[in-house]
Amino acid sequence: MSLSAKTRFALVAPIAALALGGCGINSIPTAEETAKAKWADVQNEYQRRADLVPNLVATVKAAGAQEKSILVEVTQARAAANNVRVSANDLSDPAKLAQFDRAQSTLGLSLQKMQEAYPELQSQAGYQTLQSQLEGTENRITIARRDYNEAVQAYNTRIRTFPDAIGAKVFYGAKPMATFQATSAGADTAPKVNF
C-alpha cells in the first residue's frame, strides 16, 4: 500500500518541524540577541556615567565655591570683630566705641546675608548627593556587566550543547561570544573626581 504525497507530507512535516525546533533554529538567534541587548545595556550605563558625573561634579563645585565666598566673608568679619576690643577704660572714647560698633555690625550683616542667601548651606548635601549618585552609577554598571556575562554564558552554552549545537553550526555558523573583561582605559574606566 502506497502513501500519497499529501499523506507523507502530513507525517514528515511535524517530524521535520520538531527536529528543527530541537536543534536551536529559533533559540540560537534569541540567545544571541539577548546577549547583544545586554551589551547595549552596559554601553548605556557607561554613557549615563559619562553624561552624569561631570555635570554633578560641576554643580557641586559651583555650589561649594559660591558658599565658600559667603563663608570667607563671614570668617573675615568675625576675625575683624574679634580684633576690635573695648575695655572698661575705652567706654569714654566715642571713636573706639564706633569702631567696635562697625566691626560688630559688619559681622551681623555678613551673618544675616549668609542666613538669607543660604538658610541651610547646600554644598554638604550636594557632596552627599554626588557620593550617592557615584555609588549608584557604579552599581548599575556592575549589574549591567553581570547581566551581559550571564546572557553570554547562556548563549555560549546553547551553541555548544546538543541539540542546539547542530543548528548553531549548520544554520548560523555561531561562534562563542566574549564575556566582559575589565580594562584600564577608555569609557569603561570610572572617572576621577577632583575638587
Side-chain angles (χ1 to χ4, degrees), residues 150-169:
E150 288 173 357
V152 166
Q153 178 188 14
Y155 171 77
N156 289 346
T157 301
R158 186 168 294 269
I159 67 169
R160 295 178 65 206
T161 56
F162 185 80
D164 292 345
I166 297 167
K169 296 217 181 340

Side-chain angles (χ1 to χ4, degrees), residues 24-37 151 155 158 172:
I25 194 78
N26 290 322
S27 61
I28 300 301
T30 301
E32 182 180 25
E33 291 304 316
T34 298
K36 287 178 180 178
Y155 171 77
R158 186 168 294 269
Y172 302 111

Side-chain angles (χ1 to χ4, degrees), residues 109-189:
L109 288 173
S110 293
L111 288 170
Q112 183 180 2
K113 183 178 175 184
M114 182 179 82
Q115 185 177 12
E116 288 174 359
Y118 301 100
E120 180 182 322
L121 294 178
Q122 299 298 314
S123 63
Q124 182 63 30
Y127 284 104
Q128 289 173 337
T129 299
L130 175 62
Q131 288 173 335
S132 174
Q133 287 294 327
L134 289 173
E135 179 184 10
T137 296
E138 293 307 313
N139 286 341
R140 285 174 159 211
I141 290 170
T142 299
I143 290 167
R145 288 175 186 161
R146 185 196 65 217
D147 290 349
Y148 168 73
N149 284 343
E150 288 173 357
V152 166
Q153 178 188 14
Y155 171 77
N156 289 346
T157 301
R158 186 168 294 269
I159 67 169
R160 295 178 65 206
T161 56
F162 185 80
D164 292 345
I166 297 167
K169 296 217 181 340
V170 172
F171 295 106
Y172 302 111
K175 295 179 181 162
M177 292 181 149
T179 57
F180 177 82
Q181 301 294 318
T183 63
S184 60
D188 55 349
T189 301

